[in-house]
Amino acid sequence: MKRLVAYITTGYPDAAFTVDLAHALAEAGVDTLELGIPFSDPVADGPVIESANLKALEAGFRLEHLFEVSRQIAPAIDTLWMGYFNPFYHRGVEHFVSEAAGAGVSGFIIPDLPFEEARPYKPMIETAGLSLIDFIAPTDTPERIAMIAADARKFLYLVAYAGITGSGESEDLSAVIARIREATDTPVYLGFGVTPETAREKARNVDGVIVGSAFVKVLLDESLGGSEKIAKISAMAQQIKEAIND
């Protein structure tokens, strides 16, 4: 059974909605939830997620909202925090580790923290029973792929193309996936550009997919009410889960 990871922006339009959406996604078959931590300069994300980040910040998002939301949803769905390193550094990685462990969160995705620079933090994170998800890009050398894969926990985040999220581009990743398989048994999940229309194709040869911008587009649709957004995103999640396991 291939896995589905869903990204949503915490606190948009508000924290209570995030909790309701998270529970709905769990019921829809989502295996892991990426709770995006709103940040003013989300360098790996395209305009859709960037817009949701800024709207959440304008609405008054604070890190305490992330912690409270997580305590309410982590018992129901495997939860990861996805955020940029600035808040982790500013508040302290130790603080995030403590809050995550206390809330039942399973780990972190920090896209602007390179593998080498993450090494000092990994022992503390893993001692707390958490995972720091590693990225592999199609531009990585075979030697770098082997190095990252050998140290991976939970799953490897394979970036579908060199660029930002949501552009829907595609590259032939068969050689990269083969090199990863040679180096580790850790599951490989593909992210960037996965939509209901492309999920089946992109899920080939990997163990799961990560979907973000397609869901956040619905969050940003001001023509829909809150319950309509939840229903539409849940239906999309079910469609994607069925497609990748067809």
Side-chain angles (χ1 to χ4, degrees):
M1 179 71 72
K2 297 192 177 186
R3 315 284 282 182
L4 172 58
V5 180
Y7 168 97
I8 60 175
T9 303
T10 310
Y12 183 75
D14 56 47
F17 178 89
T18 302
V19 172
D20 290 343
L21 177 56
H23 285 293
L25 287 171
E27 293 176 5
V30 169
D31 299 288
T32 296
L33 185 68
E34 270 189 62
L35 275 183
I37 304 172
F39 184 58
S40 58
D41 188 23
V43 293
D45 292 302
V48 172
I49 293 177
E50 181 179 17
S51 178
N53 271 250
L54 295 177
K55 287 179 180 293
L57 291 170
E58 290 167 358
F61 171 83
R62 297 291 182 270
L63 285 175
E64 286 66 27
H65 299 148
L66 171 74
F67 305 150
E68 177 57 32
V69 164
S70 299
R71 286 190 287 269
Q72 295 182 61
I73 68 172
I77 186 170
D78 179 49
T79 302
L80 293 166
W81 288 344
M82 185 284 194
Y84 294 85
F85 190 58
N86 184 286
F88 285 83
Y89 181 80
H90 180 72
R91 184 68 69 96
V93 176
E94 299 89 343
H95 182 71
F96 273 85
V97 168
S98 175
E99 290 286 351
V105 170
S106 63
F108 310 127
I109 297 175
I110 308 177
D112 63 341
L113 185 64
F115 174 77
E116 292 81 0
E117 294 180 24
R119 280 181 164 176
Y121 303 105
K122 274 201 166 186
M124 172 177 47
I125 292 169
E126 293 175 357
T127 297
L130 309 177
S131 300
L132 181 62
I133 304 302
D134 291 304
F135 287 81
I136 287 180
T139 52
D140 283 331
T141 64
E143 294 77 16
R144 182 171 174 78
I145 289 172
M147 178 178 66
I148 294 172
D151 196 47
R153 301 291 185 273
K154 194 173 178 73
F155 65 85
L156 277 160
Y157 193 131
L158 175 59
V159 177
Y161 48 81
I164 55 176
T165 61
S167 68
E169 298 179 28
S170 182
E171 294 187 22
D172 181 1
L173 299 171
S174 55
V176 176
I177 294 169
R179 292 188 187 108
I180 296 172
R181 300 296 193 198
E182 291 173 0
T184 184
D185 293 327
T186 301
V188 180
Y189 295 179
L190 181 74
F192 283 37
V194 180
T195 68
E197 295 74 29
T198 64
R200 180 183 286 105
E201 179 183 352
K202 287 182 178 288
R204 291 178 184 172
N205 301 321
V206 295
D207 304 294
V209 295
I210 301 165
V211 182
S213 294
F215 294 143
V216 177
K217 281 181 182 177
V218 180
L219 286 181
L220 293 171
D221 188 346
E222 295 183 356
S223 71
L224 300 175
S227 60
E228 292 174 306
K229 291 180 181 181
I230 290 174
K232 186 170 183 177
I233 293 172
S234 297
M236 288 174 61
Q238 288 178 317
Q239 179 186 350
I240 293 170
K241 188 68 180 286
E242 291 171 2
I244 64 178
N245 286 291
D246 188 8

